[in-house]
Amino acid sequence: MSSMSWIVRRALKLGLVFSAAIGFAAFAFSGLRDALLEAYLLGIGGVLLLAFVRTTSGKGPATGASDFDRAVADMSRRYPSDSGELSLVHDVQQSVAGTFHLHTRLRPILREIAAHRVSMRFGVDLDRDHERARELIGRDAWELVRPERPPPGDRLAPGPPASHLSKVVEELERI
């Protein structure tokens, strides 16, 4: 009850000060009475609304964090930085969910692996000797790592299944 009386007292004080200010302005500037009346009604309505919100905000049921608060907390949580394994697992999961993620995040990693392996083992440059690199890499992996592969037309389309990505990794491991 004491919090409600505090809210009511504060609203009354604010309303009285605002009324006095508008009354003085109406007395001093007689040509602005219509505009001052509108300002007065708007101001008193704001004071009443603020008092109503303050009174009712504490009366609702106590709830935990909202969905938004939980999402912000999840986004701000940091993953262990000592290993890139969690990041790579996340990239694979997102690549299965969306082809655009596959093209922008997982494909560069797989391309780097393929380029390194064909360069170190066979002396072949992935970007210059397309025919030889295609023979060494494998059909499924080559389709994903080839230099001239265009970005997906539909960015929201689902990516390939995890079994296909597993096959690509197997082809890269065989190099």
Side-chain angles (χ1 to χ4, degrees):
M1 188 69 169
S2 66
S3 66
M4 187 168 170
S5 63
W6 173 82
I7 294 170
V8 171
R9 278 194 313 262
R10 188 162 184 184
L12 283 174
K13 286 179 187 178
L14 189 57
L16 287 173
V17 168
F18 188 71
S19 296
I22 291 291
F24 177 74
F27 183 72
F29 306 106
S30 61
L32 299 176
R33 286 193 177 152
D34 290 338
L36 289 174
L37 176 64
E38 291 175 5
Y40 176 74
L41 292 175
L42 185 64
I44 293 298
V47 169
L48 290 174
L49 183 62
L50 181 62
F52 177 73
V53 167
R54 285 186 176 169
T55 303
T56 60
S57 65
K59 302 294 182 188
T63 60
S66 68
D67 290 339
F68 178 78
D69 292 335
R70 283 191 294 276
V72 168
D74 287 345
M75 288 173 54
S76 64
R77 192 175 309 134
R78 299 286 179 207
Y79 292 105
S81 60
D82 58 348
S83 168
E85 184 176 343
L86 287 176
S87 175
L88 189 56
V89 167
H90 181 262
D91 282 339
V92 170
Q93 291 170 341
Q94 291 299 316
S95 295
V96 169
T99 187
F100 186 71
H101 193 88
L102 171 73
H103 185 78
T104 58
R105 296 294 302 252
L106 190 60
R107 179 179 177 269
I109 296 169
L110 296 175
R111 233 180 101 61
E112 185 178 333
I113 292 169
H116 178 72
R117 286 186 172 248
V118 296
S119 175
M120 290 288 116
R121 297 219 170 108
F122 303 102
V124 174
D125 188 340
L126 183 67
D127 293 322
R128 292 187 185 145
D129 193 3
H130 299 282
E131 295 303 318
R132 180 75 176 127
R134 183 183 321 175
E135 293 171 9
L136 296 170
I137 291 177
R139 188 186 60 159
D140 291 325
W142 175 255
E143 180 56 36
L144 189 57
V145 301
R146 64 188 171 97
E148 70 278 354
R149 185 174 197 261
D154 181 8
R155 292 179 168 209
L156 301 177
S163 60
H164 178 74
L165 294 177
S166 178
K167 190 174 181 181
V168 168
V169 170
E170 287 173 9
E171 286 180 354
L172 292 177
E173 286 177 343
R174 277 184 272 184
I175 298 174

